[in-house]
Amino acid sequence: MTAQTTPKPTESELEILQILWDKGSCTVREVHEVLEKNKDSGYTTTLKLMQIMHEKGLVARDTSSKTHIYRALVNQEKTQQHLVNKMIDNVFNGSAARLVMQALGNHTASKEEIDSIKKYLDELSNQ
């Protein structure tokens, strides 16, 4: 699958992908139990979303046993990179600096996160 033909996940699909990226392979029930902690969602809704994700090529489904097991087919880093690039272009008019300033202005970053950002910026300027 090329970058141009890679399906773009919806917000709900991204929530499911986050669970699969974190846990690896899961049943619909396992995914649903995690989703239920944060929002009111029915099991059949989770099942339908995961079936759609399978049709779109976002997840693989192992049907060798009675309980189907799903795993993410899309790479987490590539998906995040694509979505951030799209957000920078569409929301911040192509300015990564504006995105970073907005993110840091709206969320309290820990000292460790700030130190990590500084280190990363130093490495970028030394290239």
Side-chain angles (χ1 to χ4, degrees):
M1 211 180 285
T2 67
Q4 293 174 338
T5 62
T6 301
K8 309 303 181 260
T10 65
E11 188 173 329
S12 295
E13 291 169 346
L14 272 173
E15 291 174 344
I16 292 170
L17 284 171
Q18 288 288 356
I19 296 165
L20 293 175
W21 288 327
D22 184 49
K23 294 184 173 283
S25 299
C26 293
T27 64
V28 174
R29 173 75 52 208
E30 292 167 329
V31 170
H32 178 67
E33 287 172 358
V34 174
L35 288 175
E36 246 184 348
K37 292 176 186 176
N38 298 320
K39 69 179 190 177
D40 188 24
S41 176
Y43 174 83
T44 54
T45 302
T46 304
L47 172 62
K48 186 63 179 170
L49 270 171
M50 292 180 75
Q51 289 170 337
I52 291 168
M53 291 172 71
H54 178 258
E55 291 168 10
K56 289 171 71 174
L58 293 169
V59 298
R61 179 174 59 203
D62 178 356
T63 59
S64 61
S65 65
K66 183 179 176 183
T67 306
H68 296 177
I69 307 292
Y70 289 81
R71 67 178 172 79
L73 284 178
V74 292
N75 178 280
Q76 183 176 11
E77 288 180 19
K78 287 182 181 178
T79 302
Q80 289 171 339
Q81 183 178 25
H82 169 76
L83 292 171
V84 168
N85 287 341
K86 189 174 177 181
M87 183 187 306
I88 290 169
D89 290 342
N90 295 339
V91 178
F92 296 97
N93 205 25
S95 173
R98 287 175 53 195
L99 167 69
V100 171
M101 289 186 284
Q102 183 72 33
L104 291 176
N106 287 342
H107 299 284
T108 305
S110 69
K111 181 180 179 343
E112 292 79 22
E113 289 174 315
I114 298 290
D115 290 344
S116 178
I117 293 166
K118 286 178 182 176
K119 181 181 175 190
Y120 181 72
L121 291 173
D122 287 342
E123 290 171 3
L124 283 177
S125 20
N126 291 330
Q127 286 182 356

